[in-house]
Amino acid sequence: MSLFGIIASIIDGVLVGSVYGLAAMGLTLIWGVMDVVNLTHGSMIVAGMFALYLLTSVLGITPYATLLPVLVGGFLVGLALYWIAVHRMIGRAPLMSLLSTFSVNLVLIGLGTAVWGTVLFNVPVSFPGVTWQRYTFPGTHLLAAALTAVIAACLYVFLYRTRLGKAIRAVAGNRQAAELMGIPTTRVLALAFALGVALAGVSGMLIATLFPFTLLSGDAYQLKSFVVIVLGGLGNPTGALLGGIALGLLEGLVTPFIPVSWTLVIEFALFVTVLIAFPRGVFALRRS
Amino acid sequence: MTAILEVQEVGKSFGGVRAVDRLSFVIEEREILGLIGPNGAGKSTLFNLINGVFRPDAGRVRFCGADITGASPHRVARLGLARTHQIVQPLEAMTVLENCAVGACFGRENLPRARAQEAAREAAVFVGLEDRLDTPAAQLTIAGKKRLELARALAAQPLLLLLDEVLAGLNPTEVERMIGVIRRLRERGITILIIEHLMQAIMSLSDRIVVLNYGKRLAEGTPASVANDPQVIEAYLGDPALARELAGKTRA
Ligand SMILES: Nc1ncnc2c1ncn2[C@@H]1O[C@H](COP(=O)(O)OP(=O)(O)OP(=O)(O)O)[C@@H](O)[C@H]1O
Ligand SMILES: [Mg+2]
């Protein structure tokens, strides 16, 4: 493997990793605002994947035009999930919301497998790639990374430059103080949760433009999200994006040398190392 | 004079403890009403009942003529009733200015971001935090955090301000400055209900004082009359000599 080959592999890893970062932003936003570990995250990623499949194959929409419906749909599903599984667990032991979201996740995955089974789906997406030396970066990877960058930038602007974003950050900082300053905190929690789910859905949709998937793919991506948010510092969306890029970089670096089956082993060795050595995250620049 | 806040027969129990027991009083517009009483008398609980953190077991609370009994805290805040916390609650990751901007954005005026920023700056300057505007709240001293509590409440442009021990934990110089700030607040037309343990300060600040003991009103009146009330002296001030000294101070 030439040096160019390794560099190309790393660049491709970073492109894909940014999408993992997007998924993790959803998970970490929810954690940061309401101290809830959303274990429906994996099934919401899968829901995004299936939304892409259904909207393109059944309704004939072009793949990238599904982005907006997936965002909106994810948001609405997120609102529903908040009221069903999370609202009553706010302020109680973290284990409660962990268990309730875990159960909802099982129900959703169970329903999905009953309908679609666990066969492999593949959504054909073609987009012209870019060739560099002897290597071609797939257009889907480039576009997924570009869309991720746009969505992440929008999220940043929303959180730091709008009134509602201010309210979300205030609730993340201290819910009681925020409520006493006139912020309807219950609605803000529901909004933040829905936003986190929408991000999971969109990242799933983007991942499905890159790789084939099954109904059970969510677990693996949910695990990646955990690695990423630990790298990025819990509750920190900006850190999550950087964490995703770092994870992608690592995957790009090791794939030329190591069988794919080892990737998870390496990632989780990293996970444990980071937890022990950098409990606040490697990219914990600023907690929102 | 018109009443801005009416508390009527309000009660709240925690298990067997009657923290606030059928309490009634009124605050007039532009008044500074002092609320004193021994530790555990129910002062902070009363604040929580007024601004909706707790729903009263009994009684009613009326603010500017509207019944706000059991309304959620954010709704009460939007009506123009702001408060500070006995235990400071800054939004630690935000700067002083951002903290105040949150207050301004979601307070009575419901200001858009740019205007909220202005109101935030003005409130921060008003309490004397002008050289800390961009400091993260977590890095403030305790005196700074107490000021921030006040600035944030002020940025909301409230009609009535509930101050819960804003002077506690401050050194004498800081106490003097804070008293000056509270006086200037009243000059701006803000009505104030203040809880304080520093007798000298509350006696000189308040127009009227309500004394709580075991959740009940023990006495009510001018600072001098309260300080001379034998019941108050017995239950609270303890030492008649101290009480006479205080009464003397308020007259001077
Ligand atoms: N959330 C709560 N749960 C149970 N008991 C409470 C709660 N809040 C207050 N109490 C009890 O109610 C009583 C009144 O407490 P409160 O905090 O109102 O007193 P306070 O007058 O503010 O005292 P301090 O001067 O010490 O601040 C106390 O007996 C207290 O233990
Ligand atoms: Mg108290």
Side-chain angles (χ1 to χ4, degrees), chain A residues 19-20 22-24 26-27 38-52 70 105 108-109 196-208 213-215 217-226:
Chain A
V19 185
Y20 300 156
L22 187 65
L27 192 62
N38 171 29
L39 289 185
T40 67
H41 187 67
S43 58
M44 290 302 109
I45 291 175
V46 169
M49 294 171 160
F50 273 77
L52 176 76
V70 168
N105 189 58
L108 292 175
I109 293 297
V197 167
L199 288 172
V202 164
S203 67
M205 172 249 145
L206 287 174
I207 291 170
F213 55 91
T214 76
L215 240 158
S217 299
D219 281 350
Y221 292 109
Q222 176 162 301
L223 289 175
K224 279 192 205 295
S225 287
F226 278 119

Side-chain angles (χ1 to χ4, degrees), chain B residues 43-45 86 164-165 195 197:
Chain B
K43 305 180 295 293
S44 297
T45 303
Q86 180 170 0
D164 197 346
E165 300 199 22
I195 297 177
H197 279 296

Side-chain angles (χ1 to χ4, degrees), chain B residues 45-203:
Chain B
T45 303
L46 178 64
F47 272 21
N48 286 330
L49 291 173
I50 292 173
N51 78 346
V53 173
F54 301 142
R55 170 183 272 279
D57 303 331
R60 317 236 45 102
V61 181
R62 300 175 69 81
F63 176 58
C64 294
D67 192 332
I68 56 164
T69 317
S72 55
H74 75 265
R75 282 202 39 228
V76 175
R78 292 214 162 180
L79 291 174
L81 203 163
R83 76 173 283 185
T84 67
H85 296 87
Q86 180 170 0
I87 297 158
V88 291
Q89 311 256 333
L91 303 171
E92 304 220 318
M94 294 191 186
T95 65
V96 165
L97 202 56
E98 284 177 307
N99 264 274
C100 298
V102 172
C105 251
F106 301 97
R108 185 168 64 89
E109 301 273 0
N110 225 333
L111 296 173
R113 282 185 62 245
R115 296 260 318 281
Q117 198 75 5
E118 266 171 53
R121 181 180 300 272
E122 203 225 335
V125 171
F126 191 90
V127 303
L129 282 171
E130 60 274 356
D131 49 359
R132 291 277 181 281
L133 294 180
D134 298 316
T135 307
Q139 288 172 21
L140 293 174
T141 59
I142 184 68
K145 285 178 181 166
K146 292 261 173 178
R147 275 161 196 273
L148 178 58
E149 282 280 322
L150 188 55
R152 210 165 61 176
L154 201 56
Q157 322 287 327
L159 303 170
L160 172 62
L161 197 52
L162 310 186
L163 303 177
D164 197 346
E165 300 199 22
V166 278
L167 303 179
L170 303 187
N171 69 37
T173 335
E174 291 161 347
V175 166
E176 278 308 312
R177 288 178 63 184
M178 197 62 125
I179 288 176
V181 171
I182 296 170
R183 286 224 164 86
R184 279 187 292 132
L185 279 178
R186 190 249 287 275
E187 285 160 24
R188 288 179 131 203
I190 299 175
T191 311
I192 295 170
L193 174 58
I194 178 170
I195 297 177
E196 200 43 75
H197 279 296
L198 285 179
M199 276 310 127
Q200 212 172 311
I202 197 138
M203 291 284 164

